Amino acid sequence: LSAQGVLSAPRDGVVKYHLEVEGLGHDFRMEKKYKPSRTSCMIRGLEANKAYRVKLRSYHGDDAWSLPSNRLDFVTLKPMTLTLDKVAEQFMKVSWGRERQTREEYRDVVPEPLEDLVLGDPDISKFHLSVYPANQVQDDPLVDVQYGHHVKCHHVNNLLPDTEYV
């Protein structure tokens, strides 16, 4: 996301930046001030499949705030789905994926124009899968693997009959 018009170049006279994030259609609010040397941040506490609005403005040494940046509306990714297929006494197939997003499905939450809505980036670079016996979660996992974005399932072998796994 980029806030055009607030990050002045050069940043002479900027004392701090004020970032404001609010949930659209749900309760979320975060405000934070940053030093002028900071031009990016990580926003934490966001929920899956929710819409948010970000605004930024700068404060200058002459007691003047800039106008807020253009609003940036974005939607977080839909949650991952995990499916267990072909479960038997000693093996199972674990599959995962994510439903695709479209801008139109957020029409009731995000004001027009929808073309400006930033969707979550579904291009995950890696997946990490861990499988533990339910009563041994603190021990080494039975499965602990990472896959690239192209792999969408894993066959878990050597399961014990009548045993719960997480």
Side-chain angles (χ1 to χ4, degrees):
L1 301 175
S2 175
Q4 300 299 323
V6 174
L7 301 177
S8 55
R11 290 189 277 277
D12 296 334
V14 174
V15 174
K16 60 187 164 187
Y17 292 108
H18 179 254
L19 179 75
E20 184 179 326
V21 184
E22 63 180 314
L24 298 176
H26 62 98
D27 291 332
F28 181 89
R29 185 156 186 84
M30 182 197 94
E31 291 187 46
K32 195 153 185 177
K33 292 182 174 64
Y34 294 98
K35 295 178 182 180
S37 58
R38 259 327 263 283
T39 57
S40 66
C41 71
M42 183 76 74
I43 302 171
R44 300 190 187 281
L46 304 178
E47 293 182 53
N49 199 29
K50 297 281 186 176
Y52 296 88
R53 173 168 291 154
V54 178
K55 290 188 266 183
L56 182 72
R57 57 189 185 141
S58 58
Y59 181 76
H60 299 267
D62 55 359
D63 281 342
W65 283 98
S66 71
L67 293 173
S69 65
N70 294 339
R71 72 170 205 263
L72 299 171
D73 295 340
F74 69 96
V75 179
T76 52
L77 287 169
K78 291 184 177 185
M80 294 287 299
T81 56
L82 190 65
T83 307
L84 303 178
D85 303 310
K86 300 181 185 175
V87 178
E89 292 86 359
Q90 297 178 347
F91 67 90
M92 71 177 164
K93 178 182 172 187
V94 181
S95 303
W96 53 87
R98 185 183 317 272
E99 190 180 328
R100 285 270 179 214
Q101 290 176 306
T102 64
R103 287 178 175 83
E104 288 71 33
E105 63 190 290
Y106 302 99
R107 183 175 303 285
D108 294 340
V109 180
V110 179
E112 300 285 339
L114 285 176
E115 308 83 55
D116 295 341
L117 178 63
V118 178
L119 297 177
D121 183 0
D123 293 331
I124 303 295
S125 60
K126 291 185 180 178
F127 295 100
H128 188 143
L129 175 68
S130 298
V131 178
Y132 295 86
N135 60 353
Q136 299 173 8
V137 175
Q138 302 301 328
D139 296 340
D140 290 333
L142 175 67
V143 173
D144 192 23
V145 295
Q146 285 191 12
Y147 287 114
H149 69 278
H150 59 282
V151 178
K152 304 290 186 209
C153 69
H154 178 86
H155 290 86
V156 180
N157 297 310
N158 303 320
L159 299 176
L160 299 174
D162 199 31
T163 303
E164 290 184 35
Y165 290 89
V166 293

